[in-house]
Amino acid sequence: MSLRLLPENIVNQIAAGEVVERPASVVKELVENAIDAGARRIDVIMTGGGRSLIAVTDDGRGMTGDELKLCVERHATSKLDDDDLLNIKHLGFRGEALPSIASVSRLTIGSRKSDADGMLADDAWELAVTAGQKSNLRPASLPAGTRIEVRDLFFATPARLKFLKAERTEFGHAIDAVRRLAMAHPDIGFSVTDGERTRLRVREGSADLFEARRARLIDIIGRDFGENSIAIDAGRDGYKLTGYAGLPTFSRGNAQYQYMFVNGRPVRDRVLQGAIRGAYSDLLAGNRHPIVALFLDLDPLSVDVNVHPAKAEVRFEDSGRVRGLIVSAIKHAFAEAGLRTATTASQAALGSARPGGYAGQGQLSQMSRNRPVYSQHAGGYGTPGMRETTLQSYAPLAQGNTEGYAAEPRARMNENPGEIEDAAAINYPLGAARGQLHETYVISQTADGIVIVDQHAAHERLVYERVKQALLENGVARQILLLPEVVELDPGHADRLVERVDQLAELGLVLEAFGDGAVVVREVPALLGETNVIGLVRDLADELAELDQSLGLRERLEEVCSTMACHGSVRAGRALTGDEMNALLREMEATPNAGQCSHGRPTFVELKLHDIEKLFGRR
Amino acid sequence: MELTIERGSLLKSLGHVQSVVERRNTIPILSNVLIEAADGSVSFTATDLDLAIVDTVDADVKQSGATTVPAHTLHDIVRKLPDGAQVAISLDADGAKVKLSAGRSKFTLACLPRDDFPVMSEGDMPFRFDLGAADLKRLIDKTRFAISTEETRYYLNGIYLHAAETDGVQMLRAVATDGHRLARVELPLPEGAAGIPGVIVPRKTVSELRKLIDENDEVITIALSDTKIRFSFRNAIVTSKLIDGTFPDYDRVIPSGNDKSLEVDTKLFADAVDRVSTISTDKSRAVKMELDTDRLTLSATSPENGTATEEISASYGSGELTIGFNSRYMLDIADEIEGDVARFQFADAAAPTLVLDSADEGALYVLMPMRV
């Protein structure tokens, strides 16, 4: 066949292959268009998982009839001011979405223009496109804004159609896309309907952006997130990071709940994901992921959004600075926030503490589903042992009302309560120690509740912080290798490692370039002992390639520290005197990140007095 | 098969072979020991497919024959029998059960047919030489501490045995290294060992051999090929596969121009290192050596515990030098030095250090410093 240009319809279908991957991409593109059109309210209707109908209605600026004819043409856009691809202020800019969608579906678009002063045009127009074939413009009757209906998506590309997942799955992806956009635009109201039920509805927020965003995040992620996150607000050299970071004890089993936005655009970017992992590195076990919603604002000139067809990835001019900002902002916020553990832990504990039959069972099983790590490691967390502990702690507080609770004699009250009956101690955040249960949990009384401390987890964290501090202050001792190890790598991988020799040397790994695509390791951290150097270097190189940073080495050193900490700390089952318990509590207050052990389990649970009173029907 | 044997010699013989048997096996027969009785003696064979040990002991054999029984169970039974008991072992007629009785104790053990027991093919072993038990013991003891336990560099997981030339004399050398330190011991090449290939004897074989040497004071015949090695004791034969790999060119890392020489009393030194390292909590247990004219100061620091220093007199005159080492590595070497005086030869704080034994010229140790 001789060389020729492809017909426009085929070109559009090819573009659709990149831009329109699944119904969720259609929803995302159309909602983004609506946002760019200055809408205050956007309604999405999806039936059949988006296969039969996707309709997006907005109340934005709308289009005139002529614009309508143009908008389904390729590379037609109103969003690229001054034809400057470097300075992108809208979500869209390529002018590819509509023609691509139109080329693989039956698209109807209707619009009524309102001008800059809000004057509504007298006429509204409608246009239908079927698999790329435009119909004539028809007059229509519409309110202000634009309504786009996409029917029979992918009917023109049966291959794509075949690869669509179940309706529910496709719907889930679409709603996730809308959620992310809704988080970034709290000033706009959103709704998603599946034809029968409203699946998402958020009202347009108040004028104060910060408050509106917080309310929007709570609406979308859940009330728990509001209670178990800390606000991030940091800026540096024109980069601004705001949002909320979830407490380590409020973590999840996958990274799905990490919402990141760059200049209001939802992204899933590896640099950002890596930075978040770095920020939480010794607060969470490797298989736990924090919940965060972070908004990064920076000069549009220093970020390239034109690297991914669906714009899910971006490229930063200075990714090191972005990473540094995120890591330091989150670490700093946690250090300032002081002692906090997730309220969900104490809620669950309370839930399981109903008199007679354990009504909290459902909640418990849900807990163990959500937090497999806890049930494996902690044993006593959210298990019957915990329940007992909670029950017993009521005895000294609600005196004379302990029948039915059968307080176990094993609860070891302090021999000399007078000794620690220090009125001032109660005013400390973790209160005054009142006793120890099962030689494992320290119970203390605070000004407005009680605190249950897991003595092993708490002490382990304290020792760990101490060991880590010592490591940072004294530098990492390095064992020089008698037989330097040559590690063969891809040339790219080797170069990336060599670029970071200083950083690696600080952590005790000394290497240098060794010809093309290899490095030679001359010194290793003495702490690791006789270690698999080749494996370590390969892992680091892979990590650099993927995340553009190398956490692996630090993580391994921290792991050794944490094993040492575990062996060097007070175990469960050891009886503590009142003074020892109070000393533990005071040290926890003084140590950063003492609210969770290095696996992200809480070291203490706080029960408020009014919650306890509720249990007894006093409120 | 039917035989009677005294409990003591049975236990000793089983003791030689049972540690070869892994605790958990995917092939059931590998958990078993092969018993072969004939002509007034009984032999026990155990293998893990890489290593096989046959131990032969005198017994009153009434009827010759062979079978296999679980090795660890048999060993445990014999261990718990009273001292001096006569143990009768017999295989029942259909070959499915072994009966063992001693005094009033009676045991029945399930057995597997001897034909299923894997026999290690020895192949042709073209080299054969004799070595005194004391010599073999020396080669092993002074090198085995440096054998690597890290599996990725498998070729370091054993002792490298080979012929080499030192000052024009042919030597048999044993070398082991884990990449941090190295030990090299040599002795004049025994007759018949000329031209032997360099072979790497695996760690497990080394430790089994070492146990056998302890009880023998005799000449051991060593036969080897490129892939296998056999050590023949009077009553026992150890046959082992060799590690299939290339041992690094270790000569390169043995320094020759180290000009700063320190001589120190071995025992004083070892005790001082041990005491000073008590303070370091860290896994690497770094100890710093500060050298000045005829003086050695050892010190360790721990951010949690504090510091330790100890000064010992030594013979040194090459200018001040500060160098750090892993104290465990230093103690391992000091343990193997027989002479009263240990001789260190340094170049600088980042270069390999040589340690020599005043009483054993054939032993040499290389230690890599730590940066602390």
Side-chain angles (χ1 to χ4, degrees), chain B residues 172-186:
Chain B
L172 177 67
R173 269 192 201 162
V175 182
T177 180
D178 61 4
H180 298 177
R181 62 243 168 103
L182 175 144
R184 189 194 86 182
V185 183
E186 60 188 9

Side-chain angles (χ1 to χ4, degrees), chain B residues 360-372:
Chain B
D360 185 352
E361 280 186 17
L364 167 153
Y365 309 94
V366 184
L367 187 52
M368 215 50 192
M370 238 172 108
R371 288 191 203 271
V372 284

Side-chain angles (χ1 to χ4, degrees), chain A residues 12-33:
Chain A
N12 280 336
Q13 285 192 4
I14 291 171
E18 289 180 345
V19 181
V20 189
E21 194 192 350
R22 59 193 334 163
S25 346
V26 175
V27 173
K28 172 179 163 295
E29 295 294 342
L30 296 181
V31 172
E32 281 184 355
N33 278 348

Side-chain angles (χ1 to χ4, degrees), chain B residues 232-260:
Chain B
S232 307
F233 296 79
R234 192 186 306 125
N235 292 326
I237 297 170
V238 178
T239 313
S240 169
K241 286 188 188 165
L242 296 163
I243 293 178
D244 184 11
T246 310
F247 200 79
D249 178 14
Y250 65 89
D251 266 333
R252 250 176 348 107
V253 302
I254 298 178
S256 53
N258 284 5
D259 53 355
K260 298 186 169 73

